[in-house]
Amino acid sequence: MPRKTQHVVRTPGGWSVKKGGAKRASRTFSTQKEAISYGKDLSRKQGAELYIHRRDGMIREKNSYGKDPHPPRG
C-alpha cells in the first residue's frame, strides 16, 4: 500500500500544500511558515509523511506523522 504524503512546495501564488501525486494544491498560502503549519496539521490527521521543499524544489525536511517504516533507534 503506498504511503500517504503531503508536500509543501513553492508555487507562483506563494507556498502550497499538495497531496503526493496531485496536480492541484489543497491550499495556498503567502508564506512558507503558514503552509508548513497547515501541512503538519493535515499530515497528523491523515497519518501521512510531510515533505518540505526549498524554493529550488529540493527537499529541505521530511517528517513522519503516521506509521514510520524506518523509525529512529533508541
Side-chain angles (χ1 to χ4, degrees):
M1 179 177 188
R3 292 182 286 174
K4 295 178 188 174
T5 59
Q6 296 289 335
H7 296 259
V8 175
V9 295
R10 179 80 174 157
T11 57
W15 290 90
S16 298
V17 178
K18 290 184 176 182
K19 182 178 177 180
K23 292 183 180 179
R24 293 179 51 194
S26 302
R27 283 186 67 181
T28 300
F29 300 88
S30 58
T31 66
Q32 186 184 35
K33 186 176 180 179
E34 293 171 327
I36 291 170
S37 177
Y38 177 76
K40 283 181 180 178
D41 289 343
L42 192 61
S43 296
R44 284 188 185 113
K45 289 178 186 172
Q46 296 179 347
E49 293 189 26
L50 178 65
Y51 291 83
I52 302 169
H53 296 256
R54 295 184 192 147
R55 285 179 175 264
D56 63 4
M58 298 292 291
I59 295 173
R60 175 182 112 179
E61 189 177 329
K62 176 183 161 189
N63 294 308
S64 295
Y65 295 99
K67 295 179 183 175
D68 190 351
H70 304 289
R73 295 180 184 170

